[in-house]
C-alpha cells in the first residue's frame, strides 16, 4: 500500500499554483502589450487624418523621444514623425473634460478612464455619423452654461439647446464684459473645488452650485474681493463646514486670510 506523502503533495500543489500564476501574469503582460500596440496603430491612423493639426511638423523624431517610447513599451519598425508622436503621447494622457463629456453623452464604456488619443479616435468615429452630430448639437445645456446665463442675465430660457445657450452666453459676455469676467472666475472656482484630484487631496466632497454660492457669498460678505477669492480659500471654507477643520496650511500662516476664508 502506497504511503501518502503529504510534503510532496503540498510541494507539487504549490509548484502548480506558482506555474499557473506565472502563466496568468505572462498572459496579462502579452495582452497589455497587444492592447498598447493596437492603440499605437490608432494613434498613427489619427496622424494621417486630414483633420489632424497641420501645424505639427512632419520631420522624424530622434534622441530622447525614442527612449521615452521604448520606456512606454512601444516598439517601432520605422521612424515616427512629430505629428505621429503627438498622438502616441496622448496614449499616456487622460481624456480632456470635453472629450469625457462627449463620451458620457453617448454612453461609451470606460469614458472616464479613456486616454486622450483613444478618446479622440472614438469621438471621430461617433461624429462620422450625422445623427450623432445632430444629437450632440441638440443636447440640453450644461449646468455651467445655465448658471452663467443666470448670473449675467438673471434669467434662463427653458428649451434651449447647449449650442443656443452657449451663443446666448457669449452674446451676454459682449454686452456685459465685467459681469462676464466675474462669471468666468466663478466658473473656474467651481471647477477647481470639484476637481476629483483636488477633492481627494483635500478630503472634501463635491458641492452643488447652491452650496458653492453660499460659500462664495460668505467670503464676499467678509470683505474678500471677488477677484481675490481663490480655490484654496473656497476649499478651506468647504473643509471647515464638511469636517470642522481649519486648513491654515493653505495660507502659509496668514491668520487674517484664514479668518476671512472661514
Amino acid at each position: 500500500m502506497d504511503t501518502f506523502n503529504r510534503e510532496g503533495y503540498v510541494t507539487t500543489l504549490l509548484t502548480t499554483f506558482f506555474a499557473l500564476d506565472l502563466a496568468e501574469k505572462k498572459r496579462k503582460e502579452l495582452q497589455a502589450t497587444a492592447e498598447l500596440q493596437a492603440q499605437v496603430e490608432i494613434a498613427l491612423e489619427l496622424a494621417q487624418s486630414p483633420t489632424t493639426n497641420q501645424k505639427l511638423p512632419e520631420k522624424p523624431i530622434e534622441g530622447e523621444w525614442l527612449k521615452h517610447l521604448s520606456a512606454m513599451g512601444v516598439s517601432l519598425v520605422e521612424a515616427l514623425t512629430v505629428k505621429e508622436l503627438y498622438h502616441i503621447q496622448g496614449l499616456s494622457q487622460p481624456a480632456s473634460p470635453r472629450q469625457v463629456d462627449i463620451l458620457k453623452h453617448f454612453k461609451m464604456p470606460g469614458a472616464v478612464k479613456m486616454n486622450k488619443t483613444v478618446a479622440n479616435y472614438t469621438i471621430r468615429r461617433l461624429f462620422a455619423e450625422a445623427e450623432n452630430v445632430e444629437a450632440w448639437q441638440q443636447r440640453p445645456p450644461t449646468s455651467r452654461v445655465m448658471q452663467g446665463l443666470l448670473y449675467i442675465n438673471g434669467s434662463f430660457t427653458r428649451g434651449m439647446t447647449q449650442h443656443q445657450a452657449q451663443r446666448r452666453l457669449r452674446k451676454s459676455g459682449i454686452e456685459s464684459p465685467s459681469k462676464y469676467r466675474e462669471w468666468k472666475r466663478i466658473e473656474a472656482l467651481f471647477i477647481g473645488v470639484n476637481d476629483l484630484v483636488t477633492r481627494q487631496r483635500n478630503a472634501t466632497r463635491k458641492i452643488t452650485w447652491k452650496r458653492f454660492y453660499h460659500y462664495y457669498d460668505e467670503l464676499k460678505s467678509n470683505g474678500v474681493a471677488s477677484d481675490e477669492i481663490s480655490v484654496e480659500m473656497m476649499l478651506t471654507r468647504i473643509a471647515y463646514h464638511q469636517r470642522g477643520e481649519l486648513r491654515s496650511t493653505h495660507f502659509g500662516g496668514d491668520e487674517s486670510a484664514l479668518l476671512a476664508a472661514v
Side-chain angles (χ1 to χ4, degrees):
M1 182 177 178
D2 293 337
T3 303
F4 177 71
N5 186 337
R6 182 182 178 85
E7 291 184 1
Y9 176 77
V10 172
T11 301
T12 302
L13 194 61
L14 289 175
T15 302
T16 302
F17 284 152
F18 182 70
L20 289 172
D21 185 54
L22 284 178
E24 178 63 13
K25 287 180 179 178
K26 185 64 176 177
R27 185 190 67 79
K28 289 182 178 179
E29 288 175 1
L30 291 173
Q31 182 179 358
T33 301
E35 289 175 356
L36 179 59
Q37 290 296 334
Q39 291 188 9
V40 169
E41 292 179 10
I42 288 175
L44 297 179
E45 182 180 332
L46 283 173
Q48 303 306 316
S49 171
T51 57
T52 297
N53 189 345
Q54 298 302 316
K55 295 181 180 179
L56 294 171
E58 296 284 356
K59 65 179 182 180
I61 63 170
E62 55 188 3
E64 289 298 317
W65 289 115
L66 293 175
K67 293 181 181 178
H68 290 324
L69 290 176
S70 178
M72 287 174 61
V74 178
S75 58
L76 302 175
V77 177
E78 56 187 34
L80 289 176
T81 65
V82 174
K83 183 183 290 187
E84 291 168 331
L85 175 64
Y86 170 80
H87 291 288
I88 288 181
Q89 282 181 300
L91 297 175
S92 61
Q93 299 169 350
S96 69
R98 183 176 184 276
Q99 286 178 320
V100 173
D101 286 344
I102 295 172
L103 295 169
K104 282 184 174 180
H105 179 79
F106 290 101
K107 297 180 172 57
M108 301 303 296
V112 176
K113 295 182 179 180
M114 202 174 288
N115 64 55
K116 182 178 179 180
T117 293
V118 174
N120 188 356
Y121 179 78
T122 304
I123 290 169
R124 289 191 186 206
R125 294 191 65 181
L126 281 170
F127 285 167
E129 303 291 336
E131 58 267 29
N132 288 336
V133 175
E134 179 70 12
W136 177 247
Q137 291 177 342
Q138 296 300 317
R139 72 194 187 281
T142 63
S143 64
R144 292 213 309 268
V145 173
M146 288 192 292
Q147 288 294 331
L149 288 171
L150 286 170
Y151 186 82
I152 297 173
N153 300 332
S155 62
F156 173 77
T157 304
R158 295 187 180 278
M160 284 195 297
T161 65
Q162 169 73 358
H163 180 65
Q164 291 170 332
Q166 284 179 317
R167 288 181 60 185
R168 181 75 59 83
L169 184 59
R170 285 193 292 268
K171 182 180 179 181
S172 299
I174 294 172
E175 295 171 349
S176 306
S178 60
K179 195 80 171 175
Y180 183 76
R181 284 194 296 271
E182 185 172 3
W183 157 248
K184 295 306 289 184
R185 287 194 294 270
I186 289 173
E187 183 183 36
L189 286 172
F190 183 81
I191 294 172
V193 299
N194 280 316
D195 175 71
L196 177 60
V197 175
T198 300
R199 287 190 288 113
Q200 289 175 339
R201 185 172 62 245
N202 291 275
T204 54
R205 298 186 299 276
K206 192 172 184 178
I207 62 172
T208 62
W209 277 105
K210 181 178 180 180
R211 181 58 59 182
F212 172 87
Y213 277 122
H214 174 75
Y215 299 140
Y216 183 81
D217 291 339
E218 280 187 348
L219 284 169
K220 290 180 67 175
S221 67
N222 285 343
V224 183
S226 60
D227 59 352
E228 293 179 358
I229 297 176
S230 64
V231 171
E232 288 74 18
M233 280 187 175
M234 292 290 293
L235 285 171
T236 297
R237 181 168 287 273
I238 292 168
Y240 176 70
H241 285 278
Q242 289 184 352
R243 304 199 311 274
E245 297 178 6
L246 301 180
R247 301 183 64 79
S248 58
T249 54
H250 285 312
F251 300 98
D254 184 351
E255 294 302 321
S256 61
L258 175 61
L259 290 173
V262 298

